Amino acid sequence: MPEETSTASGSGSAEEKPCSSTAAAETSGDIMEEAKKLIGTGKRHLVMGDVVSAVNVFQEACSMLAAKYGDTADECGEAFFLCGKSLLELARMENGVLGNALEGVPEESEEEEQPSNQNIESADNLADDEDEDDDEENDAQDNEEEDVGNLQLAWEMLEVAKVIYKRKESKDDQLMAAQAYLKLGEVSAETGNYPQALEDFQECLTMQLKHLPPHSRLLAETHYHVATTLVSMDQYNQAIQHYNSSIKVIETRLAMLQEIIDAADGADGAAEEKSEMEELKQLLPEIREKVEDAKESQKTASAASQAIQQTLGTPSTSTFPCENGGPSSSTAFAATSQTSVTTSESASSSKAVSDISHLVRKKPASQSASVESSS
């Protein structure tokens, strides 16, 4: 009996070896399927507005794919892009919640609570006040680091997605690289880094102009982002040009949609085109209003510049900045600053791509609690 048992166990172990290799192959095939399911679930969360759940699902998909194929593999492109996009939306939500929480709070409420006749405080009270101030400063720093962390993580995810898509030559992959540039520009704009945002938006626009028809809504969106960034940089002439380019793209698309509607049979034909047409018609007045605002800001800035020059008795070629890139020494300084910013961003970009294994394994545990508690 003992010999039969050992023989049976030996044959069982011999049969397990090929089974284990087969199971490994099946597991390898299942990883991609499971990741696709997670990506689909994450997309549904985004549509429903559940950004926190979308981030968690996309990060799980990124972790699975990166562990199997490598951090910068082609299979990881979509998961990294969607994760970065969701993290950007999450950071915006948290910033909005923080701003709403601070509304209506009196700035000098602590001073009002202090007794008016108390001129001298004891040493114990001074020590307590210092401890409270330190705690408040630490809390503020922690909150700021958390916000910056979400934006930084979004930037790094999108940077990797951009590299993955840009190295491929197909039209769809190039357009996905353009979308990655667009989201990278939005991240930089959120942090106030407008020169870098402008560079990313312009790169996105260059790629889209190469692959998209002139009536594409994506072109109108990118022109709008470029114009808004230029306004933030007080470059009103160029901003007005891009606003007008966005309007022109929308008008071209409206004409194309009208042709489809006219060719459709019946009153119910081309329902989607009719809905989009109404939506675009509502966008046009808003963009035209942006153009007028930019023109007004341009006039105000020009008048202010002239007033300064007349007050100081300096000619128009002085060292003070002239409106919209006029001849001045400040223009050269701005160009130098932009070059230095771009160089530093490029350096950090290459660093992020070379080692991003920590990204797909990091889950911001506090973000879910912070957003859900605020809601």
Side-chain angles (χ1 to χ4, degrees), residues 121-306:
E121 297 185 7
S122 64
D124 294 337
N125 290 335
L126 289 174
D128 293 340
D129 291 340
E130 291 178 356
D131 292 339
E132 292 177 358
D133 292 339
D134 292 340
D135 293 339
E136 291 176 358
E137 292 178 359
N138 292 333
D139 292 340
Q141 291 177 358
D142 292 341
N143 292 332
E144 184 177 357
E145 289 176 359
E146 182 178 354
D147 293 337
V148 173
N150 285 329
L151 284 175
Q152 178 66 21
L153 187 59
W155 182 87
E156 292 178 348
M157 288 283 189
L158 292 167
E159 182 69 19
V160 176
K162 178 201 75 176
V163 172
I164 292 174
Y165 284 117
K166 192 175 181 180
R167 71 187 177 206
K168 296 189 284 185
E169 298 180 356
S170 69
K171 175 183 175 181
D172 292 340
D173 290 325
Q174 288 293 301
L175 288 175
M176 282 302 301
Q179 285 300 108
Y181 271 114
L182 184 72
K183 292 302 175 182
L184 285 169
E186 293 182 28
V187 171
S188 296
E190 284 289 322
T191 61
N193 189 355
Y194 297 115
Q196 182 61 48
L198 179 62
E199 181 181 341
D200 289 332
F201 288 144
Q202 288 176 333
E203 185 67 26
C204 169
L205 184 60
T206 299
M207 300 177 74
Q208 288 177 339
L209 288 171
K210 183 178 179 181
H211 296 287
L212 290 176
H215 55 74
S216 173
R217 291 185 64 173
L218 292 176
L219 288 174
E221 178 187 2
T222 307
H223 276 297
Y224 184 87
H225 279 297
V226 173
T228 304
T229 305
L230 287 167
V231 168
S232 300
M233 300 172 66
D234 298 334
Q235 299 181 20
Y236 300 110
N237 273 338
Q238 297 181 49
I240 292 171
Q241 293 175 8
H242 282 281
Y243 277 135
N244 288 331
S245 297
S246 180
I247 292 173
K248 183 178 179 181
V249 171
I250 293 177
E251 290 176 343
T252 304
R253 185 163 186 84
L254 285 173
M256 184 269 295
L257 292 173
Q258 187 62 52
E259 292 179 358
I260 296 176
I261 293 172
D262 294 340
D265 296 330
D268 297 334
E272 294 183 1
E273 285 77 7
K274 291 179 180 178
S275 177
E276 182 181 357
M277 195 169 185
E278 292 300 320
E279 181 182 353
L280 292 175
K281 287 181 178 179
Q282 294 178 1
L283 290 176
L284 282 176
E286 298 179 6
I287 303 177
R288 291 193 176 104
E289 184 177 355
K290 292 288 186 181
V291 173
E292 296 303 319
D293 291 342
K295 291 180 178 179
E296 188 65 26
S297 298
Q298 183 182 27
K299 293 178 181 179
T300 302
S302 179
S305 177
Q306 292 177 3

Side-chain angles (χ1 to χ4, degrees), residues 108 191 211 309 317 361:
E108 299 182 356
T191 61
H211 296 287
Q309 293 169 8
T317 56
R361 294 169 180 83

Side-chain angles (χ1 to χ4, degrees), residues 31 45 72 163 187 196 235 322 350:
I31 287 177
H45 285 316
T72 58
V163 172
V187 171
Q196 182 61 48
Q235 299 181 20
C322 296
S350 60

